[in-house]
Amino acid sequence: MPKLYSILALTLLGVPQAQAALGDHFSVDGFTAFANNYVARGVSGSSNQPVVQGCIDLTHDSGAYVGLWGSSGDNGGELDWWGGYRFSLAPGYSLELQLTRFYYPGGTNHQTEGSVSLDTPWVTISARHDWDFGHNYFELNKTLALAPAWQLSLHGGYRNYGEKKYQPDYWAYGKSYADAAAKLIYAVNDKQSLFIGYAWHQDNNPDHATEGKLLFGLVASF
């Protein structure tokens, strides 16, 4: 395992001790996941190969939070870290502001993204802007409870590429794409779940066909 992911693994193993040391005003959550593919916004980040992932979040009672997420995959994998603030607007409504850094150990296309999300009783609406390459991404997300142990997660997104070209997406200069995904989640218990789903994306370049991907995996939280 590369050194970067060894650090992430050690961090995740320390979650119970961190929770005890921080006190009542902080909560620490994390998970590990094993999946057949790493798909973000409709595009595979692992050349359609299986991945292992991990995440840890530290949240304060005030609504401020920081987090760390890592995945194996292309360009030596990916390591993201973020900070943000979530506050209530009214019963059932909240607003979230977040700044995220996307880092690729074996690549050069690192990105910094700012986002604002509005959570409502019906859907979560998000708008994101990448300051390094000028891309914008807009999305809608909704999770439906189907039965005591079953959930359906729905996603739709639209991305327009900014003014700056970069490899390997040089062909996407001045273009856009849409993506969608549906995921069925089964809770084995309060700490483990299985999922199966389908992700799709289509850009407006006629040289690139519609892509669809079957997704499945296991998530263990702690």
Side-chain angles (χ1 to χ4, degrees):
M1 179 182 290
K3 181 178 180 181
L4 194 59
Y5 302 108
S6 297
I7 294 172
L8 179 62
L10 291 172
T11 302
L12 292 171
L13 289 172
V15 168
Q17 293 84 352
Q19 177 69 74
L22 288 168
D24 296 335
H25 295 290
F26 290 89
S27 61
V28 182
D29 301 290
F31 70 82
T32 55
F34 303 89
N36 70 312
N37 198 347
Y38 164 36
V39 175
R41 302 174 185 177
V43 179
S44 176
S46 62
S47 297
N48 298 314
Q49 297 301 306
V51 293
V52 58
Q53 302 174 334
C55 178
I56 183 170
D57 272 300
L58 172 64
T59 304
H60 187 262
D61 288 348
S62 66
Y65 62 87
V66 293
L68 176 69
W69 178 92
S71 177
S72 57
D74 299 337
N75 294 316
E78 181 179 338
L79 188 66
D80 305 339
W81 54 91
W82 58 84
Y85 187 77
R86 184 184 300 108
F87 54 94
S88 176
L89 299 175
Y93 295 83
S94 63
L95 189 67
E96 182 176 348
L97 306 174
Q98 182 173 301
L99 185 66
T100 305
R101 180 64 172 172
F102 300 89
Y103 178 76
Y104 307 96
T108 59
N109 299 329
H110 316 306
Q111 302 168 54
T112 300
E113 180 183 86
S115 65
V116 56
S117 298
L118 176 64
D119 191 25
T120 77
W122 306 281
V123 68
T124 299
I125 307 166
S126 300
R128 310 179 186 278
H129 178 73
D130 169 12
W131 278 296
D132 291 292
F133 301 105
H135 307 328
N136 297 301
Y137 186 75
F138 308 94
E139 63 180 312
L140 300 175
N141 293 285
K142 178 66 177 180
T143 299
L144 301 170
L146 303 180
W150 294 89
Q151 290 184 320
L152 179 63
S153 175
L154 302 173
H155 162 83
Y158 174 81
R159 178 173 183 174
N160 62 334
Y161 287 85
E163 69 279 5
K164 304 175 184 178
K165 299 183 187 180
Y166 70 99
Q167 295 285 351
D169 288 334
Y170 62 91
W171 53 266
Y173 174 67
K175 300 185 182 298
S176 61
Y177 76 76
D179 74 281
K183 187 185 299 182
L184 187 63
I185 304 166
Y186 173 70
V188 179
N189 52 48
D190 61 347
K191 296 294 184 181
Q192 297 176 330
S193 62
L194 303 171
F195 68 85
I196 186 169
Y198 188 81
W200 162 93
H201 95 276
Q202 171 67 64
D203 63 57
N204 63 359
N205 188 330
D207 295 331
H208 295 82
T210 298
E211 294 186 40
K213 300 174 178 65
L214 179 67
L215 309 173
F216 56 87
L218 165 69
V219 178
S221 59
F222 43 85

